[in-house]
Structure formats: C-alpha cells, structure tokens
Amino acid sequence: MSAQIIDGTRLATEMRTEIAAQVADLKANRNITPGLGVILVGNDPASLSYVTAKERACAAAGMLSREIRLPEETTQNDLLNCVEQMNQDPLIHGILVQLPLPRHIDEKAVINAISPAKDVDGFTPVNVGRMLIDEPCFLPCTPHGIIQMLIRAGVETSGKHAVVIGRSNIVGKPVAHLLMRKARGGNATVTVCHTGTPDLAHHTRQADIVIAAAGRPNTLTGDMLKPGAVVIDVGVNRIPDTSRKSGFRLAGDAQFESVSQVASMVTPVPGGVGPMTITMLLHNTLESCLRTCATTLP
Ligand code: GUN
C-alpha cells in the first residue's frame, strides 16, 4: 500500500482564502482590521523562522501584525510589561509569545499574564479550562489544526481508536481532548502514550488514527501500524545535512518511507501540520476581533 498524502499546504490555503475574505469584509463594512501581536525573545533560529511565517501569513490574509523582538537577556519584568502593553492595545486582538522562552524566564508567569480574551494560542489556564469543559474558548492552534485536517481530508473519527504519542501541554494533552470530545472531528476512543509507556507498538498497532507528537525522529515506523491507519505527524525535527545550504533538513516523528507503505493516509513534514497551525492562529485572531466588534459596536 502507498498512503495518500494529506496536503496541509493545500488545506491551509483553502482555509486562509476563507479567512482573508472575512477580513476584507470586516474592513469594508466596519473599518476594523484584525491585529496580531507577536513577542519573540532571543535568537533561536527555529522560533525566528516560525514567527516570520506567522507574520507573513497575517499580512497575506490582510491582517495587521506587530512584532516586539527582545534580546535573550531580557528580564521577566520587561517581558511582562510588553505583554501588558499588548493587553491594553486596542489594535491588537491576539497575542502570541513564541515559546520556548530563555531559561531564566518563568514561562507559566508569562502565559498567565496574557489576557484570556487575546490568548489566540489557547495556552492560558482560563482557555485550557474552558476547552476541557466544552465552553467557548480559543482552541490551541496545532491540535485544532489537526482536527480540521482530519475533517477536511474526510477522515472519520467518531467511534475510531486514536492513539496520541506525546503528552505536552501544546499538542498531546489538548489533541487527546479534542479527539475524545463529543463534536465533529472527535468522539473517538483515545489512548495517550508517552515516554513512560513500556510497549508503544502494542498500542499503535491497535490504532485507526495515530497522532505522532513525541518530538523525536523515527518514533513511529511502519511495523508499528495497523494496515490502513491514518498518521498525523506533528514532529518538526532538524536533522543535520551538510548537502543543504541551511545545514539541516526537516523530519517528522514518523519514518515516512516505512509508514507510507502501511498507512492509508499520512501527513508530510514539512507541508503537513505546520501550515494548519498557522492557519488556526489566523482563525483565532479573526475570531477575537469579531468578538471585540460584537461587544463594542451596535
Ligand atoms: N512554540 C512551538 N509551538 C508554538 C505555538 O503553537 N505557539 C507558541 N506561542 N509558541 C510555540
């Protein structure tokens, strides 16, 4: 079997076209432009590349993006002040503090400082809590992007067995919740595996859908799959490659060659989950702007 590739770039373009039309409509009818505030601390090349991609996507959708770039040695207090400045700025509807932050900064304190009403990453305790009890909230972008991908690729989740590899706050925990909730793209039976799981393959071989979010290349290989399973690869691993100008190539958590021989569908890296994550950030920023309009305009 050779798996069908779920083209994240194409699905993301489809959604971004819909978002851009709504942004244009807001501008024309209400003279309001959704705005995203981005804060980047330090010089991590991967973070810099993510932030650049997010800002470009904002501009392409007709949104405003404002960036604050701070040096690695920025104090926690200075960072908290920047977050507060964006909390107060009426032109900013969504705030994103790119993670990870330098080690001397308390990441939780910074996330807690973001106004839940502008938390388009869906990382604050208020939004996480609301998500868990199915109340209106901003859903975290990568998990929400994965669900949208499954829906738009025509993958049935209801009644299926989904295995999530990884238990991070950003991907593993929230995607497990979205897959199990009683909603479109959910209603699955979910198993969460992690570094404490003794026999990972025992679990993945029973899965109809595998979400690989371990952050380690080759975590999932073809022999660990049931024939016909759907594989969503969330990994973005930089593998040194001297034959490339950049000095590295990107690889997912799944071993693409063997997995694509057994799975029915698989997401590529790059060009899979990544573009969908950025798209859901645009979606949340637009949503936040629409909520502001609803509360401030007649
Ligand atoms: N670092 C890796 N993924 C993310 C994300 O989705 N949002 C933020 N803010 N930082 C990240």
Side-chain angles (χ1 to χ4, degrees):
M1 186 185 294
S2 190
Q4 179 194 329
I5 306 292
I6 303 178
D7 185 347
T9 307
R10 186 182 64 76
L11 295 176
T13 304
E14 199 177 284
M15 286 194 76
R16 288 184 204 186
T17 307
E18 295 162 15
I19 291 168
Q22 282 183 272
V23 171
D25 188 56
L26 256 183
K27 269 192 206 172
N29 295 315
R30 303 220 188 179
N31 197 26
I32 294 178
T33 303
L36 175 71
V38 177
I39 302 177
L40 174 63
V41 186
N43 304 307
D44 176 58
S47 290
L48 184 59
S49 123
Y50 292 143
V51 162
T52 307
K54 288 168 187 175
E55 287 168 344
R56 281 201 189 127
C58 259
M63 294 186 184
L64 173 84
S65 78
R66 198 173 277 175
E67 182 187 304
I68 299 182
R69 199 178 289 186
L70 298 167
E72 180 82 20
E73 58 278 9
T74 299
T75 64
Q76 181 161 320
N77 235 358
D78 284 349
L79 177 54
L80 290 173
N81 286 336
C82 288
V83 171
E84 189 50 27
Q85 194 183 315
M86 287 192 172
N87 280 339
Q88 301 298 334
D89 188 338
L91 297 181
I92 299 294
H93 303 97
I95 300 172
L96 180 143
V97 180
Q98 185 64 31
L99 303 179
L101 290 167
R103 284 232 284 275
H104 65 278
I105 292 177
D106 176 358
E107 208 159 271
K108 284 190 177 153
V110 175
I111 290 172
N112 276 326
I114 299 170
S115 161
K118 295 191 178 188
D119 170 29
V120 288
D121 255 331
F123 287 172
T124 59
V126 168
N127 277 309
V128 175
R130 284 176 162 265
M131 176 186 71
L132 281 179
I133 54 172
D134 301 318
E135 286 197 2
C137 62
F138 291 118
L139 294 178
C141 300
T142 301
H144 194 193
I146 291 169
I147 301 298
Q148 284 299 318
M149 260 181 136
L150 290 170
I151 292 172
R152 288 179 183 245
V155 177
E156 182 58 82
T157 53
S158 184
K160 303 294 180 186
H161 183 194
V163 170
V164 176
I165 311 173
R167 56 179 157 185
S168 71
N169 289 341
I170 295 183
V171 185
K173 285 180 204 162
V175 83
H177 172 73
L178 297 184
L179 284 164
M180 81 165 95
R181 72 180 175 159
K182 207 167 186 173
R184 200 156 166 243
N187 210 31
T189 303
V190 182
T191 301
V192 180
C193 300
H194 43 74
T195 46
T197 304
D199 185 357
L200 179 61
H202 167 77
H203 298 280
T204 55
R205 281 192 196 111
Q206 296 173 56
D208 302 302
I209 300 164
V210 180
I211 313 288
R216 193 170 52 98
N218 298 323
T219 296
L220 186 71
T221 48
D223 60 314
M224 296 168 70
L225 288 174
K226 174 165 87 176
V230 173
V231 174
I232 305 290
D233 191 349
V234 190
V236 186
N237 304 295
R238 290 183 166 218
I239 312 291
D241 184 345
T242 48
S243 71
R244 296 187 184 220
K245 215 170 103 189
S246 62
F248 67 88
R249 69 181 169 85
L250 292 180
D253 287 355
Q255 189 188 67
F256 188 83
E257 298 71 23
S258 64
V259 161
S260 59
Q261 294 305 308
V262 184
S264 62
M265 289 174 150
V266 62
T267 61
V269 178
V273 174
M276 289 301 287
T277 296
I278 297 178
T279 304
M280 301 326 292
L281 179 69
L282 302 180
H283 167 89
N284 283 352
T285 305
L286 170 62
E287 180 65 32
S288 178
C289 180
L290 288 169
R291 283 186 204 173
T292 310
C293 296
T295 53
T296 57
L297 290 177

